[in-house]
Amino acid sequence: MEESVSGFKVRGSWGDVVEHGERITRALRDAGVEGDAFEEWDEWRPKSHERLSKDVSEKTAVQASVDEGEGEKAGKSPDEDLQTAGERLSESYERVEEGDSGGAVDRWSESLGYVARAADSAGRRALRRVENTVYQRVMTQLAPYYFDNELVSANIQKSARGDDDVSFIFEVNVNDDDLKEEVSDRLAEYDDEVTRWHVDTPKETEIAEAVEGVEPPESDDRSRSTTN
């Protein structure tokens, strides 16, 4: 593993990539990190049974997609918001007829808000569909597979060298400097204490082939570490 200001980098086989992700995840967990950002990272990090061009690509596209807008977070479709906008507009007319100009303006403003929210939701959904297609079909051919949130930034790319033992480059950065230093210390401890780190699929199998299209070997082993 190489360590620099830009993060923790490993060059090697798919098994090395998986192990690197497991070690960093273990270090974060041992440092007391939890919550949504940690779960997002734990979900995205490469697993031994996955393929880069399929599984990691799909997870990257999902992670990189446009966030939900207010309407989507509220569980409302654009049609529902447009219907509510029409109801508020009708109420605004009623208030005008009743001489309640203040209430009419309030309802009219609410109506515009629902219209804007409906347009926002529809636009986000359309953009997501385009994003997903463009990312998986085009961007992954040009750029590394990446992950980014407030906790971790990471990227994987296939090595240009093409050596048998160096097929991938995987770099992970912990965005908080103090936490990054603690993770670094824990990774050093693992190097001293852990004699062998078992990933889901043994390293000696042809994992690179499994990653890129051949069915990976079955294994009942779970990720674990053994200490002296």
Side-chain angles (χ1 to χ4, degrees):
M1 183 190 76
E2 305 170 28
E3 183 175 345
S4 67
V5 293
S6 60
F8 309 100
K9 181 187 294 185
V10 66
R11 303 169 186 266
S13 67
W14 187 249
D16 295 323
V17 164
V18 172
E19 178 179 322
H20 189 51
E22 288 182 345
R23 283 175 178 260
I24 289 175
T25 302
R26 163 81 175 275
L28 289 169
R29 184 180 290 112
D30 287 350
V33 177
E34 57 185 16
D36 291 342
F38 175 79
E39 296 300 329
E40 289 172 2
W41 154 253
D42 195 28
E43 168 62 26
W44 180 86
R45 67 178 177 85
K47 312 298 191 302
S48 62
H49 63 278
E50 294 178 338
R51 297 181 178 88
L52 182 67
S53 59
K54 180 180 185 296
D55 302 287
V56 179
S57 174
E58 290 177 355
K59 290 192 294 185
T60 299
V62 170
Q63 191 271 336
S65 67
V66 175
D67 292 336
E68 289 187 340
E70 293 302 317
E72 293 173 303
K73 291 178 181 178
K76 300 296 183 181
S77 69
D79 288 343
E80 289 175 311
D81 274 343
L82 288 175
Q83 180 178 348
T84 303
E87 294 171 354
R88 294 294 185 272
L89 189 59
S90 295
E91 292 173 5
S92 177
Y93 290 142
E94 292 174 1
R95 295 299 175 89
V96 169
E97 292 176 353
E98 294 170 359
D100 182 5
S101 58
V105 171
D106 289 341
R107 293 296 184 274
W108 177 71
S109 296
E110 290 178 13
S111 176
L112 290 180
Y114 280 107
V115 170
R117 197 169 81 168
D120 178 72
S121 296
R124 286 172 184 268
R125 291 183 180 183
L127 183 57
R128 256 187 235 112
R129 286 193 293 270
V130 173
E131 260 189 343
N132 193 284
T133 300
V134 170
Y135 183 82
Q136 291 198 56
R137 296 185 180 178
V138 180
M139 292 308 295
T140 54
Q141 305 300 316
L142 306 175
Y145 302 81
Y146 69 94
F147 174 88
D148 184 57
N149 67 10
E150 63 268 29
L151 176 64
V152 170
S153 300
N155 69 79
I156 306 174
Q157 54 186 308
K158 298 182 71 173
S159 173
R161 290 171 55 184
D163 297 340
D164 291 339
D165 295 331
V166 184
S167 302
F168 303 93
I169 301 172
F170 184 26
E171 185 169 19
V172 183
N173 186 46
V174 177
N175 294 323
D176 180 84
D177 289 339
D178 292 335
L179 180 59
K180 180 178 179 179
E181 184 175 350
E182 183 172 357
V183 167
S184 177
D185 291 341
R186 291 183 180 278
L187 291 174
E189 291 175 4
Y190 300 157
D191 286 339
D192 291 339
E193 298 174 2
V194 178
T195 58
R196 183 181 179 190
W197 193 284
H198 299 271
V199 297
D200 289 343
T201 304
K203 286 186 181 180
E204 59 267 21
T205 60
E206 296 296 331
I207 297 177
E209 293 183 8
V211 170
E212 294 304 329
V214 179
E215 288 299 322
E218 295 182 357
S219 174
D220 295 329
D221 291 338
R222 302 296 298 173
S223 296
R224 63 188 183 278
S225 62
T226 55
T227 56
N228 293 327

